[in-house]
Amino acid sequence: VEERVYLTEGSGASSGAVAGVIALTKEKAEEYKSQGLSVILVREEISPADLEMMRLADGLLTHTGGILSHAAILGRILDLPVIAGCEAVEIDTANSTVTIAGRVFKEGDYITIDGANGRVYQGEIALVEPDEANYYIEIIRSWSEDVNG
């Protein structure tokens, strides 16, 4: 478990947070799930045909889209954290790498996503289940950070 290293953000499209390994394909997602790992599916975009692959994921991060994209809608249906429209994500399928805000990650590397505020972090960050009061405090705190920088 690592310290919090902020990378970038996109549109928080389906709330929840998850730390997991990057998977670019259904085959890699299946491999990582068979090892008992949490999987964050990183894609250019999600289409309805990707539903089977999405069922393997614990979270989604897409380069395109927004809060009304297929990734967002299917993510909410499947109760997955989703960040859509994250323009700082560049996917290189030929080399099985993802560049996020200038940092190169390979499939199997850990990232953490927060679908409520759209933030992406490097590595595996320890997550805690918020109680309802803390959840609302965190929302207000994120608003304050957005306003005050």
Side-chain angles (χ1 to χ4, degrees):
V1 178
E2 302 175 23
E3 66 181 74
R4 187 178 296 198
V5 177
Y6 170 84
L7 294 171
T8 190
E9 63 189 75
S11 296
S14 181
S15 64
V18 65
V21 294
I22 294 170
L24 302 177
T25 65
K26 179 183 174 200
E27 293 74 25
K28 278 295 186 182
E30 288 172 334
E31 176 186 329
Y32 297 140
K33 288 305 278 187
S34 73
Q35 297 171 18
L37 300 174
S38 292
V39 172
I40 298 176
L41 188 61
V42 181
R43 306 282 289 176
E44 183 70 27
E45 63 185 359
I46 295 290
S47 73
D50 294 325
L51 181 59
E52 185 179 337
M53 182 172 31
M54 288 179 64
R55 291 182 191 272
L56 298 167
D58 297 288
L60 303 171
L61 174 62
T62 67
H63 173 81
T64 62
I67 62 170
L68 296 176
S69 65
H70 283 105
I73 293 167
L74 293 174
R76 287 191 288 270
I77 290 169
L78 297 172
D79 197 26
L80 298 175
V82 176
I83 299 174
C86 194
E87 295 178 359
V89 172
E90 299 171 21
I91 301 165
D92 181 350
T93 52
N95 293 307
S96 300
T97 61
V98 177
T99 303
I100 304 174
R103 295 184 187 179
V104 178
F105 297 87
K106 61 186 182 305
E107 283 188 289
D109 286 346
Y110 273 91
I111 59 172
T112 301
I113 64 171
D114 185 338
N117 61 25
R119 294 184 180 146
V120 182
Y121 299 92
Q122 179 176 317
E124 182 182 15
I125 298 174
L127 302 172
V128 294
E129 289 293 324
D131 62 27
E132 191 170 320
N134 285 339
Y135 172 76
Y136 293 108
I137 289 170
E138 288 303 315
I139 290 174
I140 293 168
R141 185 175 293 136
S142 74
W143 292 340
S144 173
E145 290 172 1
D146 290 344
V147 170
N148 297 319

